[in-house]
Each structure stands twice: as structure tokens, then as C-alpha cells.
Amino acid sequence: MPPCQFRLRPRRTAGMLLTSSRLPPDYRQRVLLGDLVGRAVQPPDWFIPCLETFHTTVIDPDYPCYFGSAAAHHGELYYTISDSRTQHLLARTLQNFLANARLAPDERRNLTIFFPPDALPLSHSEYKQRFWSVLQALHQSDASPWPDSVSTDPNQPNWEFCFAGEPIFAFCADPSYRSRTSRNLGPGMIILMQPRRSFFGIEGHTRAGIQARNKTRERLEKWDHMPAHPDLGVYGESNNREWKQYVLPDDNSSVTGICPFVAQDASVGRESTTNRDFECNE
């Protein structure tokens, strides 16, 4: 099924940056769900409070994530929801988001996936398991071939999660983070997806990329009251493993073990992830 093309909104100019309101202006235009966009989407009641907390945090002048904060200020953050009623639409939503982002190559569009707050607090390991279950389910529903330029082995420096032929840096934010508060962005789990091509001009070894990374790490130390995590690296460098940055520990202990993600051969039928593995509480 071809991706749905929705009407794109123009990029904001420097004189039209978002203000520090609790909700981003015109955010409804950037809410996606399957083939629906804008006011055609009727989000659940829990979404607005989660969005308010998220937005208030990422537009804080001291928030350390340069790329996410810049996307928020330029109106380049898009939003979707995934709960027990809508989780089957997530792959379609991501497909449409990527297809339409390709039509605006000068923008650094990111997708923010909101999950409902849990009735009972989850542990960090439980959120970690949920995050990887979501990525695995997306992968297993993806009919596109894995890009030739990206390794399918997470133990290689050029691995990245891919969907619809696009490498995407994804990371988990959730309320189990008590020390690393830069990754606690609200009462429910959030997955932020940043297509790798959105880093144009600020790639790891460019002057702008090095400056942005250094500034981010300085801000991380101030925001989290601890040094930046030792597993934060530069994509493609021989000692870097991208997957370790997706779900960082709440302290500065190194990420060990094997990456939970397993790439499937696109030429072989993929089995759907069960609802039990891709479950969201409400």
C-alpha cells in the first residue's frame, strides 16, 4: 500500500520560533495516525498532558538535546500515539511520516511516539523491553529491504534501526529515569525517531556536528548532574555501537550484553509480533 501524502506545512522562519507555551502552536497539524493527519486524529485524553510535559521540557533553553530542541523550536516535531487501540497503526504512521519527510529535505523532521502512562510504575528494564519490542514489531511489519549501506548486525559501527529503507536513530525516554532526567520526558514512555538524513550538515565529523555534540555533552552534565554516558559515540566510528545509545542506563554503567534487536531476512515471510510483546497499558 503506497504511503499517504498529506499536505505539508511550511517551515517556520527564524522570526516565527515557538514560544514557551505549554503546548506547541499548531501542534494539531502535526499529529499523525495511520493515514490521518491534523484534526482528523482524535487523540485520547491522556495525550494532551503528556504533550504539555514533553514540550515544556524540550523547549527549555537548558535542555541538552540540541537536535530535538531545535526541531521543536522550528515546528519540525511530529507526534503520534500508540496504545492498545492504535498500536496496529504505528507502522503505517511511520511509513507516511518518512514518505512526507522526504518531500521536505531541507527540514529536520522527527517523529515523537507517545505511549499512555502506566497505571502502575514500571522498572527501567521493563521499559527497555517494551522499547525493543516496539522496534522489533515495526521491523517485522516492514516490507522494504534493509539499506545496503547499513549493516544488519547491531555489533557493527554502521548499524542503525531501519524502516521503509531509511536508517533512523531512535531512543527511549520514560519515567523510570530518576538520575538521567534528560530522558524522562513525561508520565508515559516516549520514543523519538530521528531519520539519519535529518542530520545533514551536522554529521559526526563535520565542524558543525562536533560543535553540536560538544555543546550537547556540556548541557547533559549540567542537566543530569553527571557526565555524559560513556557509550555516547559517533555513528560509523569503529568503537561505536548505536544500539547502546537507544536505551541508556540511569547511571553511567556501560551497556553490556547482546542487542535485543534481530534483523529478519526481507525475502522470508516475517511473523507478526504478538500483542503480548507489543502491549500498552492504559
Side-chain angles (χ1 to χ4, degrees):
M1 188 175 184
C4 172
Q5 292 189 7
F6 46 80
R7 184 168 62 88
L8 303 176
R9 58 193 300 276
R11 181 178 179 142
R12 294 173 180 267
T13 64
M16 298 172 62
L17 298 182
L18 302 182
T19 63
S20 58
S21 59
R22 291 180 60 82
L23 283 172
D26 301 329
Y27 77 93
R28 286 300 301 267
Q29 298 183 31
R30 290 176 278 123
V31 178
L32 316 175
L33 187 62
D35 290 338
L36 301 178
V37 61
R39 296 193 178 278
V41 180
Q42 297 299 317
D45 292 341
W46 58 262
F47 171 68
I48 296 301
C50 291
L51 178 58
E52 287 179 339
T53 301
F54 170 83
H55 177 66
T56 301
T57 303
V58 298
I59 66 167
D60 188 305
D62 296 324
Y63 185 67
C65 181
Y66 169 83
F67 305 109
S69 183
H73 279 293
H74 287 97
E76 294 170 345
L77 278 182
Y78 286 70
Y79 313 102
T80 192
I81 55 176
S82 184
D83 56 23
S84 59
R85 294 172 301 229
T86 61
Q87 60 193 26
H88 65 288
L89 296 173
L90 185 55
R92 181 65 175 168
T93 302
L94 182 55
Q95 181 189 24
N96 284 331
F97 166 77
L98 292 171
N100 283 278
R102 293 185 197 108
L103 302 178
D106 62 329
E107 296 187 10
R108 305 184 193 277
R109 295 189 179 187
N110 295 185
L111 180 65
T112 311
I113 307 169
F114 288 84
F115 296 79
D118 294 279
L120 297 176
L122 299 185
S123 67
H124 189 68
S125 62
E126 288 173 317
Y127 280 116
K128 177 181 176 181
Q129 181 180 12
R130 178 181 289 179
F131 169 87
W132 286 109
S133 293
V134 172
L135 262 59
Q136 193 69 48
L138 285 170
H139 174 59
Q140 291 177 207
S141 67
D142 183 15
S144 301
W146 198 268
D148 291 337
S149 60
V150 181
S151 175
T152 58
D153 180 3
N155 200 38
Q156 297 300 315
N158 66 328
W159 178 88
E160 191 81 274
F161 174 71
C162 295
F163 187 87
E166 293 245 12
I168 303 169
F169 179 77
F171 73 86
C172 176
D174 67 68
S176 73
Y177 283 104
R178 293 290 183 262
S179 299
R180 195 174 304 283
T181 54
S182 58
R183 291 208 174 187
N184 186 335
L185 300 177
M189 187 176 83
I190 293 173
I191 297 178
L192 285 96
M193 293 199 160
Q194 300 172 306
R196 180 142 293 281
R197 59 187 171 77
S198 70
F199 296 113
F200 63 88
I202 46 176
E203 294 87 354
H205 296 289
T206 64
R207 181 178 180 181
I210 293 171
Q211 290 177 340
R213 188 167 62 253
N214 290 341
K215 191 66 175 178
T216 295
R217 293 182 180 183
E218 289 176 8
R219 292 183 174 187
L220 279 171
E221 186 165 353
K222 294 179 180 178
W223 188 279
D224 292 336
H225 303 290
M226 66 170 72
H229 195 277
D231 285 325
L232 292 177
V234 178
Y235 180 75
E237 287 192 347
S238 60
N239 62 344
N240 182 64
R241 298 296 179 267
E242 282 289 285
W243 69 271
K244 294 185 176 184
Q245 304 178 50
Y246 284 18
V247 189
L248 290 174
D250 198 27
D251 55 24
N252 272 347
S253 59
S254 296
V255 178
T256 59
I258 299 173
C259 177
F261 180 85
V262 179
Q264 305 294 315
D265 187 342
S267 65
V268 179
R270 292 173 175 162
E271 297 180 358
S272 297
T273 300
T274 64
N275 288 335
R276 177 180 57 83
D277 292 331
F278 196 15
E279 199 172 63
C280 294
N281 297 324
E282 296 181 66

